[in-house]
Amino acid sequence: MPELDTGFTENVISIDRVARVVKGGRRFRFRALVVVGDKSNKVGIGIAKGADVTTAVSKATDIAKKKLIAISVIDGTLAHEVYAKVGGAKILIKPASPGTGLISGGVVRALLEAVGIKNALSKSLGSNNKINMAYATLEALSSIEPRENWVTTKNSKAKKPVSKEVAEVAEPIVKKPIRQSQGKPVVAKKAKVGIKK
């Protein structure tokens, strides 16, 4: 994972040779998937094509730098469990205690390292397509809520305000008391069913 001049780390996840069919044959190019992060809380993903590997990687790195997003990291791990699905890829990431390390696969591990997460557990539950896995991991990390957004105090009201319409519908229905005669409950009489002669 080489260091860039701007303090970001670059990690090339995959390089694939792709072909485009044109009149007279095929044209081969290279596609690079690159992850860029500052190991504190920012990470970005870039995908680009080029005539050679170097061109594809440099293009993908520039794209990743332009698409950096901030992730909430607490004590080297996640604030809470996250899950995301992109295409057929399903990624589940859980926080872990200090000393656990990163228990994850190649694509997820590269993103977690780029963000600066040191302790986490992850599991891929769907497709193993690297591009979809990278975007699913990025979506899961971006869905982390910061601590100040979900921790409540004793004085704060956790319940959401209820509108007047909902309050009227939710009012309990008051049942009328059962009619009694001389202290005994009224019992319905059974109707006699007979055959007329």
Side-chain angles (χ1 to χ4, degrees), residues 17-29:
R17 192 179 74 162
V18 295
R20 182 178 60 180
V21 179
V22 295
K23 186 178 180 181
R26 295 179 180 178
R27 289 187 182 178
F28 292 98
R29 302 175 75 193

Side-chain angles (χ1 to χ4, degrees), residues 18 26 32-33 43 50 61 69 103 122 149 151 156-157 161 165 175-176 191:
V18 295
R26 295 179 180 178
L33 174 62
V43 68
T61 303
I69 61 172
I103 301 177
S122 71
N149 291 358
V151 173
S156 64
K157 294 181 179 179
E165 293 80 7
K175 294 183 177 180
K176 295 181 180 180

Side-chain angles (χ1 to χ4, degrees), residues 92-161:
L92 174 66
I93 308 174
K94 293 184 176 183
S97 58
T100 305
L102 290 176
I103 301 177
S104 58
V107 179
V108 182
R109 188 185 197 89
L111 270 97
L112 295 178
E113 286 178 352
V115 173
I117 295 174
K118 299 177 182 178
N119 303 293
L121 309 170
S122 71
K123 180 65 179 175
S124 174
L125 303 170
S127 170
N128 59 357
N129 182 288
K130 291 184 178 180
I131 295 176
N132 285 350
M133 285 179 68
Y135 279 111
T137 306
L138 189 66
E139 186 175 330
L141 292 174
S142 61
S143 66
I144 297 175
E145 284 289 337
R147 180 180 287 178
E148 57 269 13
N149 291 358
W150 55 271
V151 173
T152 58
T153 59
K154 293 181 179 179
N155 297 330
S156 64
K157 294 181 179 179
K159 295 183 178 180
K160 296 181 179 179

Side-chain angles (χ1 to χ4, degrees), residues 178-187:
I178 300 173
R179 184 172 59 88
Q180 295 182 351
S181 70
Q182 298 178 356
K184 296 180 181 180
V186 177
V187 180

